[in-house]
Amino acid sequence: MPRKVQIADAPPQLIAEVISNRCIGDEVYVIGLRCTQIQHWIPGDCIAVYKEDASGVSRPYSLSGDARTERLELWVRRFTAGVVSDELTRKRVGDTLKISPPFGWFRPAEPKESDQLYFATGTGISPFLAAIRSGMAAPRKIYWGLREPLVETDFPANVAIEYCLSRRGPAPRRVTDVLDQVEYHDETHIYACGLDQMIETVLGYFADKGIPAQRLHRECFFTAKVDA
């Protein structure tokens, strides 16, 4: 199933204003929001974005910005038949939309000062970006799978990133193709976010290597069938 969240009680619907919207390549949009009703969130948190109609249908998107600022940021891949992503990525500065308060359980910045490796595909980089930008995490390395190169990524210069392009470049690779090159030890925490197949392969690999389950962390964004 695609990434959906079931919440026992319907959360309040907050009004957010679009303050920026730019495409950074491969149908990925970085959308900045302002919502005065949100005062605090933690890297790894999501917000639900609601359809413009009265259906109450929503999709969760991880926050990717700096939790110390008032600006909210989302990385959204546009799917032309998407339930929410198509209309969301077409928003203009000054437009408004309905969102939920932040929620979540994936915590890439925890435990503090641990040896951390991040594995992401596409917009699955969002919670990792939030942890780094908020000054709460310093991963030793990030392995990031992309379908195509992006125009910009806005990572701090001191973050080591291994890009794994699956469709372009002289030697296309996937994140899962470089696992035997990854350096780790018994205390390393592994965080995987994005496509379910990547997550299962990466965490299964490290589980087989003896990394205990409490050091294997996941957040699934997409499956083979997506209606984002």
Side-chain angles (χ1 to χ4, degrees):
M1 294 179 64
R3 185 176 183 238
K4 299 181 180 179
V5 175
Q6 298 295 327
I7 302 175
D9 298 316
Q13 294 187 9
L14 313 178
I15 302 299
E17 178 188 359
V18 177
I19 57 176
S20 63
N21 185 355
R22 70 186 192 278
C23 180
I24 59 172
D26 196 25
E27 292 297 303
V28 174
Y29 290 75
V30 179
I31 301 173
L33 303 175
R34 179 187 295 115
C35 180
T36 58
Q37 295 167 282
I38 295 178
Q39 302 297 323
H40 175 73
W41 59 275
I42 302 171
D45 276 350
C46 310
I47 57 172
V49 178
Y50 293 88
K51 280 184 63 64
E52 295 177 348
D53 58 26
S55 66
V57 172
S58 67
R59 290 291 181 268
Y61 295 96
S62 284
L63 293 163
S64 58
D66 186 340
R68 299 168 295 187
T69 70
E70 296 180 355
R71 182 179 184 272
L72 304 176
E73 182 185 278
L74 307 175
W75 279 39
V76 181
R77 183 181 297 280
R78 173 188 283 174
F79 295 92
T80 54
V83 173
V84 171
S85 66
D86 186 50
E87 63 185 35
L88 174 56
T89 54
R90 296 182 188 279
K91 290 284 187 179
R92 297 182 178 181
V93 172
D95 288 347
T96 60
L97 61 151
K98 293 180 180 180
I99 64 175
S100 76
F103 62 93
W105 46 87
F106 186 61
R107 295 291 180 249
E110 300 174 3
K112 294 181 180 179
E113 299 181 2
S114 61
D115 182 52
Q116 302 175 359
L117 294 173
Y118 292 169
F119 295 83
T121 51
T123 57
I125 201 69
S126 296
F128 299 145
L129 265 176
I132 295 167
R133 288 171 168 172
S134 302
M136 298 177 64
R140 178 156 48 85
K141 199 162 190 179
I142 298 174
Y143 295 86
W144 188 14
L146 299 169
R147 301 188 309 177
E148 299 181 9
L150 299 179
V151 175
E152 55 182 296
T153 54
D154 192 25
F155 271 92
N158 61 344
V159 175
I161 302 174
E162 177 76 18
Y163 295 96
C164 305
L165 304 178
S166 62
R167 295 200 311 199
R168 290 189 177 183
R173 297 179 296 172
R174 297 180 182 274
V175 169
T176 51
D177 292 337
V178 299
L179 290 177
D180 60 354
Q181 303 171 28
V182 176
E183 296 181 1
Y184 65 95
H185 54 71
D186 292 344
E187 300 299 318
T188 300
H189 283 257
I190 308 296
Y191 303 79
C193 184
L195 185 65
D196 61 337
Q197 294 175 340
M198 179 277 291
I199 293 171
E200 294 303 322
T201 300
V202 168
L203 298 189
Y205 174 88
F206 288 103
D208 290 343
K209 295 294 184 180
I211 300 295
Q214 63 266 30
R215 295 196 185 98
L216 302 176
H217 313 273
R218 72 179 67 212
E219 173 78 300
C220 181
F221 274 25
F222 301 113
T223 64
K225 182 179 181 299
V226 177
D227 59 352

